[in-house]
């Protein structure tokens, strides 16, 4: 998960357009960027007040989530089994993975969607929080040049 990923230009334009269209009724959520000041994005959906966006920076969850995509997560929402979540650890960097709790509730299997990446089991005691994905904003595909047509 990107700590300081730049906001894609299409996401910035979308946020600006939404602010112009309906500033009073549109929720505003922060795009977390590590130690840098967060950017604020707007969405015409009902989202929890503590929701925020993260940038995807690897292809562990491809083909569904790709580098440059944005995912809005809700940190104080209880995720159902097999949810795509931002997993924050007590002593490690966060990961965005599909989460499967074991029946004993002592471990959590983090499953990447890309078969190149290996699943991992983590003790619940090592996990600080789970923030399930609310929705996903795909990175815009590069525009085709006239030579490609």
């Amino acid at each position: 998960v990107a700590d300081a990923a730049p906001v894609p230009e299409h996401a910035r334009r979308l946020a600006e357009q939404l602010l112009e269209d309906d500033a009073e009724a549109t929720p505003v959520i922060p795009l977390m960027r590590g130690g840098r000041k967060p950017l604020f994005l707007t969405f015409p959906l009902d989202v929890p007040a503590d929701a925020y966006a993260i940038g995807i920076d690897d292809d562990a969850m491809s083909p569904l989530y790709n580098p440059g995509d944005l995912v809005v997560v809700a940190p104080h929402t209880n995720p159902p089994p097999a949810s795509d979540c931002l997993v924050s650890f007590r002593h490690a960097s966060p990961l965005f993975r599909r989460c499967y709790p074991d029946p004993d509730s002592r471990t959590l299997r983090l499953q990447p969607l890309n078969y190149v990446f290996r699943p991992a089991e983590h003790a619940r005691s090592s996990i600080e929080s789970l923030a399930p994905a609310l929705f996903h904003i795909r990175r815009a595909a590069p525009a085709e040049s006239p030579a490609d047509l």
Side-chain angles (χ1 to χ4, degrees), residues 8 64 79 94 99 101 107 123 136 141:
L64 186 56
C99 298
T107 60
H136 173 203

Side-chain angles (χ1 to χ4, degrees), residues 6-149:
V7 176
E9 186 59 31
H10 70 280
R12 183 173 296 133
R13 284 194 307 266
L14 172 65
E16 290 169 358
Q17 181 62 42
L18 289 171
L19 276 173
E20 289 173 15
D21 289 349
D22 193 5
E24 287 185 24
T26 305
V28 176
I29 60 173
L31 172 63
M32 305 314 287
R33 300 171 349 129
R36 296 174 23 199
K37 185 176 179 182
L39 292 174
F40 291 89
L41 306 176
T42 61
F43 293 91
L45 299 173
D46 215 4
V47 296
D50 59 351
Y52 59 93
I54 59 169
I56 302 297
D57 68 350
D58 66 22
D59 59 353
M61 294 292 282
S62 69
L64 186 56
Y65 304 92
N66 295 294
D69 290 357
L70 299 176
V71 178
V72 175
V73 297
H76 295 101
T77 302
N78 192 17
S83 293
D84 297 336
C85 296
L86 176 65
V87 182
S88 296
F89 297 96
R90 295 191 192 289
H91 304 289
S93 297
L95 294 174
F96 185 71
R97 300 289 188 269
R98 187 154 292 165
C99 298
Y100 295 93
D102 279 348
D104 65 6
S105 295
R106 285 183 254 178
T107 60
L108 188 69
R109 180 168 51 101
L110 304 182
Q111 180 71 47
L113 301 180
N114 185 338
Y115 71 90
V116 173
F117 291 78
R118 300 183 63 136
E121 296 272 334
H122 291 274
R124 288 279 188 149
S125 60
S126 70
I127 296 171
E128 188 172 315
S129 67
L130 296 174
L134 297 179
F135 56 97
H136 173 203
I137 304 163
R138 292 188 187 278
R139 177 190 64 206
E144 293 182 7
S145 69
D148 294 336
L149 300 176

